[in-house]
C-alpha cells in the first residue's frame, strides 16, 4: 500500500464515524454537554470538519467549502473562513447550533469528498512539500495530513463517547 492509499483509507473512515456519532439525535441532543464549559457533540463534529476543510483548502489553494453553499447558515453562524473553533469561548461553542444532524453529516461528507479526491492523486514525493514555514522545522504536507487525521479521529471519538453518555442519561 502506498502513502496515498493509506491516507485515503484513514480519511475514508471518518464519514461513517461522524454519521454514527450524530444520526438520530435532535438539535438539543447535539448541543448537550455533560458539564458547563465542555464541548457538545455538535461542536466537536463541526470543529473536526472545519479543521479538515480549512487545512485542505489551504494546501489546495482553494476557498473553503464552508465559505459557500449556505453551510454556515445551517449552523446559525457566519461564513467566516477563519472560524474553525480554535480558541472558542464557552459562548462561541454554544453558538454552534446545527439545524439537525444532517447539517453535520452533509458538511462533513462534502469536505470528505474533496479530501478523498485530493488524497487519491498524491504521490509519495508530494508528501515532502513544505506547506507551512511558520514552524521549525517547517511543516510538510505529509505531517499536515497526519495532524488533521489525528485531530479528526480524536474529536469523532469524543463525540461518540458523548453520545454514549447522553444515552446513559436516559
Amino acid at each position: 500500500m502506498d502513502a496515498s492509499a493509506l491516507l485515503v483509507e484513514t480519511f475514508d473512515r471518518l464519514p461513517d464515524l461522524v454519521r454514527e456519532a450524530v444520526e438520530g439525535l435532535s438539535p438539543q441532543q447535539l448541543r448537550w454537554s455533560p458539564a458547563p464549559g465542555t464541548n457538545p457533540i455538535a461542536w466537536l463534529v463541526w470543529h473536526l470538519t472545519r479543521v479538515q476543510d480549512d487545512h485542505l483548502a489551504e494546501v489546495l489553494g482553494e476557498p473553503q467549502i464552508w465559505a459557500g453553499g449556505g453551510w454556515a447558515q445551517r449552523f446559525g453562524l457566519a461564513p467566516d473562513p477563519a472560524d474553525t473553533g480554535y480558541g472558542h469561548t464557552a459562548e462561541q461553542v454554544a453558538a454552534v447550533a446545527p439545524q439537525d444532524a444532517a447539517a453535520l453529516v452533509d458538511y462533513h461528507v462534502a469536505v470528505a469528498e474533496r479530501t478523498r479526491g485530493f488524497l487519491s492523486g498524491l504521490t509519495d514525493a508530494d508528501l515532502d512539500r513544505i506547506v507551512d514555514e511558520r514552524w521549525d522545522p517547517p511543516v510538510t504536507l505529509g505531517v499536515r495530513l497526519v495532524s488533521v487525521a489525528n485531530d479528526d479521529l480524536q474529536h469523532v471519538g469524543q463525540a461518540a463517547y458523548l453520545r454514549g453518555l447522553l444515552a446513559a442519561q436516559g
Side-chain angles (χ1 to χ4, degrees):
M1 177 179 281
D2 64 14
S4 173
L6 181 64
L7 288 165
V8 167
E9 176 67 25
T10 301
F11 280 90
D12 272 359
R13 293 173 184 229
L14 287 163
D16 286 338
L17 295 171
V18 163
R19 276 186 200 89
E20 291 170 10
V22 304
E23 281 190 336
L25 297 179
S26 70
Q28 296 76 21
Q29 289 171 316
L30 290 168
R31 295 175 70 192
W32 175 84
S33 65
T38 61
N39 298 326
I41 294 168
W43 186 90
L44 289 164
V45 172
W46 171 82
H47 169 67
L48 74 87
T49 307
R50 288 292 300 119
V51 168
Q52 187 175 339
D53 189 9
D54 172 74
H55 286 31
L56 263 289
E58 183 179 348
V59 299
L60 286 167
E62 297 177 2
Q64 295 174 27
I65 291 171
W66 179 254
W71 294 109
Q73 291 81 2
R74 290 181 70 183
F75 290 82
L77 299 170
D80 178 3
D83 185 10
T84 63
Y86 282 118
H88 264 188
T89 64
E91 292 77 26
Q92 290 170 307
V93 169
V96 176
Q99 295 171 332
D100 51 26
L104 290 159
V105 172
D106 293 348
Y107 176 47
H108 186 81
V109 167
V111 171
E113 287 173 356
R114 179 163 73 171
T115 299
R116 186 178 216 288
F118 172 70
L119 296 175
S120 295
L122 286 181
T123 66
D124 289 353
D126 292 331
L127 299 175
D128 292 328
R129 178 171 61 97
I130 302 296
V131 296
D132 192 344
E133 294 187 0
R134 296 174 293 180
W135 301 92
D136 185 19
V139 177
T140 64
L141 177 59
V143 168
R144 176 61 45 88
L145 292 170
V146 168
S147 176
V148 171
N150 179 59
D151 187 69
D152 284 2
L153 290 165
Q154 286 188 58
H155 287 317
V156 79
Q158 292 166 348
Y161 179 75
L162 281 180
R163 184 179 182 126
L165 286 178
L166 180 62
Q169 296 290 314

